[in-house]
Amino acid sequence: MKIEEFNNAIKSKISSGYELKEDKDSYGNASAWIILSNKRDSESVAKAVKAYKGRCIVATAYKNIDGTHTVIYHFDIEGLIINLQLETEDQSIFSITPILPSANWAEREIREMYGVEPIGHPDKDRLFLDYSLAKGVLNEYISLSKMQLGVSETDVLWENVNKEVKQ
Amino acid sequence: MKEKITIGPFHPELEESVYFKLVADENRTVTHVEIINGFIHRGMESLVTQKNFMQNLILTERVCSLCSNNHPFAYALAVEKISGVKVPPRAEALRVIADEVKRVASDLFNLAMLTHLAHHHELMKDTMDAREHMQDLKEIIWGNRMDMSANQLTGVKYDLNEEKIKLILETIALVEPKVNALQDRYENDESIRAKTIGVGVLPYEDALELGVTGPVARGSGINNDVRVVAPYSLYGELKPKVTLRDGCDVHSRAMARFGDIVEAIRMIKEVVANLPEGDTYVEKRPHIPAGEAVVRVEAPRGELIYYLKTDGSQKPVRMKWKVPTFTNWEALKVMILGDKVDNVTMILNSIDPCISCTER
């Protein structure tokens, strides 16, 4: 898969413009960076990845100093990594899981850790954290002891398990 | 009559904590599956942003024990990419040797667990016996049976002399015939075949859609081995031969792992025989400027990817990693649904789950 070929495939599909950067590691493996100006266009890129039988490897999110969030999807098509970067000011992105099921966990994790909601995601359940912990825990600092004690001081987990067993 | 069955969070047949809620019909066939995770979540991605680059080398090695060499390997590659450092050829070779030794031991452990769950304890004993040679080798050369501490930023921490090379070759000479005999037994043993063929089926289309990697993908006929599709370190020259199986079941995944082990042994021998001379690391400590990097390596369980973002300070701004089990997990639902309750833990084992890695 060539970056140019993928670029040609998405060029006409993206409505609000984007920046394309190319990158190469010391072993000669190329990767592409696509920086979107409108987060809505992530769906068009995901459709192009699907058309090439690619997959979503994972997605990274982080909080910027001004309070906005950056989300980067990492796609793979035949060994080529395509990084799709988008910004969100209102803590929401448009879920690509309905197009690429491989993005399922990645988007759920972003919702859980940063409170960024993937709109249209089919799964509303928590991924790793218990419901007693607020969404967006990585947006603030929570000490491990508080996190662990917060869980173990209550019987929430045990009661939930017990309820299931009794049913 | 419907029956509700729970397995976990703690259970003798689970290596790590995970919680299955199953619904089965009167034939004990699973009709509904729900998996609850999060028992080993430690917030490590937050922790790495509070440690400096040297400390994180130690921390990444402790994400999990079975693929403990791949995490610092990938992390070092990410730092080196941002710093623009090219490691010496001898360091590349030593990195590959450490990684492949680890792969043999890790895959043999998973296969031993498979036979344990299939209640074939003689075969389990023999598999663990073969693995034990690799464990002893790790202990002698790297000083530890699990965390090898082989990698450092800009190179490796260890070196091989003639005596150690001889030891590696002697160990391989012991292990190789055992692996070949085991491969034959796993392939042809009646009881193993009866318990694993047609169990935990993940069809090719589902595997492709869910983006599974490693032996799980290879067992369903998909080759996305990072060492082949985007070769790093010496793998471009070594050209690993990938074993693809189309049975899509527990047996196919086990046999794909045997293919990995056989290739790992071949590559260890080849690299040791042609070990380049020179330094094992770049002496000058790297300057780590602001930047970002995405790197991948092939862990024993599949693709491991690291994203690193730096701002020129001594700590990462953001570091994210995705382990093979993170994506292979969703495939479990496809594999378990419609299969027997008694096979659930064996199907779980067939993706070689690493839950400590997945939850971080």
Side-chain angles (χ1 to χ4, degrees):
Chain A
M1 183 70 198
K2 294 270 180 287
I3 294 174
E4 205 184 321
E5 190 186 342
F6 188 75
N7 190 29
N8 288 335
I10 59 168
K11 217 180 266 175
S12 58
K13 309 271 170 54
I14 295 182
S15 52
S16 307
Y18 63 99
E19 189 190 335
L20 176 74
K21 286 193 290 185
E22 290 184 25
D23 189 12
K24 211 169 223 181
D25 68 13
S26 61
Y27 307 108
N29 297 311
S31 58
W33 289 82
I34 297 167
I35 300 151
L36 293 180
S37 41
N38 184 350
K39 62 183 179 182
R40 178 105 235 181
D41 288 324
S42 62
E43 288 171 345
S44 311
V45 179
K47 278 178 190 159
V49 172
K50 188 174 175 78
Y52 281 108
K53 292 192 171 173
R55 63 193 160 96
C56 177
I57 304 171
V58 75
T60 309
Y62 55 85
K63 193 178 182 181
N64 298 306
I65 298 165
D66 59 2
T68 61
H69 287 84
T70 300
V71 175
I72 308 169
Y73 287 100
H74 310 285
F75 299 115
D76 172 283
I77 305 173
E78 295 165 12
L80 172 74
I81 294 183
I82 295 160
N83 305 291
L84 176 71
Q85 184 174 330
L86 45 105
E87 310 288 327
T88 172
E89 290 168 4
D90 58 356
Q91 300 212 355
S92 74
I93 50 172
F94 294 94
S95 173
I96 60 163
T97 304
I99 304 161
L100 288 172
S102 42
N104 188 338
W105 273 38
E107 288 184 339
R108 282 170 73 187
E109 193 178 20
I110 288 173
R111 171 166 63 200
E112 191 163 283
M113 300 296 169
Y114 287 95
V116 174
E117 180 63 32
I119 298 167
H121 195 290
D123 201 334
K124 298 285 174 222
D125 283 347
R126 281 293 178 94
L127 183 61
F128 295 136
L129 300 182
D130 189 74
Y131 284 97
S132 59
L133 291 166
K135 272 183 200 171
V137 284
L138 282 195
N139 281 331
E140 53 184 312
Y141 176 69
I142 298 172
S143 70
L144 185 64
S145 55
K146 188 184 169 195
M147 195 188 103
Q148 289 181 329
L149 285 173
V151 175
S152 63
E153 269 177 356
T154 67
D155 290 335
V156 176
L157 183 66
W158 169 245
E159 279 165 11
N160 284 345
V161 174
N162 219 11
K163 218 185 321 175
E164 292 285 334
V165 174
K166 277 178 186 161
Q167 267 175 12
Chain B
M1 198 195 79
K2 273 202 289 186
E3 190 187 357
K4 278 189 178 179
I5 297 158
T6 55
I7 302 174
F10 305 100
H11 189 277
E13 289 199 346
L14 298 174
E15 284 170 50
E16 290 175 275
S17 307
V18 64
Y19 187 18
F20 288 95
K21 287 185 189 174
L22 311 170
V23 179
D25 63 13
E26 62 276 11
N27 300 322
R28 285 182 73 76
T29 302
V30 180
T31 54
H32 176 79
V33 54
E34 191 184 341
I35 313 172
I36 296 164
N37 313 76
F39 298 95
I40 321 176
H41 180 75
R42 291 152 290 167
M44 284 185 101
E45 281 184 8
S46 177
L47 193 59
V48 291
T49 60
Q50 292 152 43
K51 307 255 179 222
N52 69 33
F53 289 105
M54 298 306 274
Q55 290 170 320
N56 278 332
L57 191 68
I58 294 157
L59 191 63
T60 49
E61 185 129 15
R62 279 146 188 85
V63 176
C64 100
S65 60
L66 280 164
C67 35
S68 59
N69 191 58
N70 289 98
H71 286 276
F73 189 173
Y75 167 66
L77 285 177
V79 172
E80 285 154 12
K81 191 175 175 188
I82 291 177
S83 328
V85 173
K86 178 92 181 118
V87 304
R90 191 174 177 88
E92 297 274 29
L94 291 170
R95 279 180 172 179
V96 169
I97 293 168
D99 220 35
E100 296 303 321
V101 166
K102 191 81 184 159
R103 191 182 314 276
V104 175
S106 176
D107 280 346
L108 282 173
F109 181 73
N110 175 261
L111 292 161
M113 286 302 111
L114 168 70
T115 43
H116 164 57
L117 295 168
H119 305 290
H120 194 325
H121 287 109
E122 200 189 314
L123 196 49
M124 177 204 172
K125 199 178 86 260
D126 292 347
T127 315
M128 286 302 268
D129 182 50
R131 174 181 183 257
E132 196 58 22
H133 295 299
M134 300 313 278
Q135 294 297 89
D136 287 344
L137 182 69
K138 284 194 270 176
E139 193 170 357
I140 296 166
I141 293 186
W142 292 277
N144 209 330
R145 289 165 71 86
M146 291 312 280
D147 287 358
M148 297 158 91
S149 200
N151 291 280
Q152 66 171 21
L153 303 180
T154 76
V156 287
K157 285 180 191 164
Y158 79 104
D159 201 359
L160 294 177
N161 54 23
E162 269 180 32
E163 192 188 1
K164 285 178 178 169
I165 289 174
K166 192 166 156 259
L167 180 75
I168 292 178
L169 292 173
E170 279 170 6
T171 309
I172 292 293
L174 271 174
V175 173
E176 199 174 6
K178 287 191 179 183
V179 164
N180 291 339
L182 282 170
Q183 190 176 15
D184 194 47
R185 282 170 74 187
Y186 275 76
E187 186 77 88
N188 299 315
D189 187 286
E190 287 294 325
S191 72
I192 289 290
R193 287 180 75 87
K195 282 180 175 163
T196 56
I197 289 181
V199 170
V201 174
L202 177 69
Y204 173 85
E205 290 75 23
D206 289 297
L208 201 64
E209 191 164 276
L210 293 168
V212 297
T213 61
V216 179
R218 299 200 268 281
S220 290
I222 297 169
N223 179 15
N224 49 22
D225 190 322
V226 182
R227 295 172 299 171
V228 177
V229 295
Y232 56 96
S233 205
L234 292 185
Y235 291 111
E237 301 157 32
L238 288 168
K239 297 199 181 352
K241 194 169 129 273
V242 173
T243 303
L244 294 183
R245 300 289 284 226
D246 51 12
C248 308
D249 52 13
V250 172
H251 191 256
S252 293
R253 294 191 272 280
M255 296 320 291
R257 281 195 184 92
F258 263 113
D260 279 10
I261 296 170
V262 170
E263 267 306 278
I265 288 173
R266 196 247 326 150
M267 286 190 281
I268 295 167
K269 285 200 288 193
E270 202 170 313
V271 176
V272 165
N274 304 303
L275 200 60
E277 293 295 325
D279 293 331
T280 55
Y281 61 97
V282 181
E283 201 147 335
K284 191 171 174 286
R285 279 183 79 171
H287 166 65
I288 303 164
E292 53 188 339
V294 179
V295 298
R296 290 190 286 183
V297 298
E298 183 76 10
R301 284 154 195 76
E303 173 194 55
L304 172 67
I305 182 167
Y306 264 68
Y307 167 82
L308 176 65
K309 185 178 167 64
T310 57
D311 62 354
S313 70
Q314 287 299 306
K315 294 173 184 173
V317 178
R318 179 79 169 101
M319 193 155 105
K320 164 99 191 162
W321 58 97
K322 195 278 300 178
V323 301
T325 308
F326 191 89
T327 33
N328 292 352
W329 201 257
E330 276 296 301
L332 272 180
K333 290 182 181 164
V334 179
M335 297 177 196
I336 291 173
L337 209 62
D339 221 302
K340 296 282 179 206
V341 172
D342 301 345
N343 292 335
V344 169
T345 49
M346 194 157 72
I347 295 171
L348 170 69
N349 178 74
S350 78
I351 71 160
D352 202 355
C354 188
I355 301 167
S356 297
C357 275
T358 308
E359 302 187 354
R360 289 150 283 138

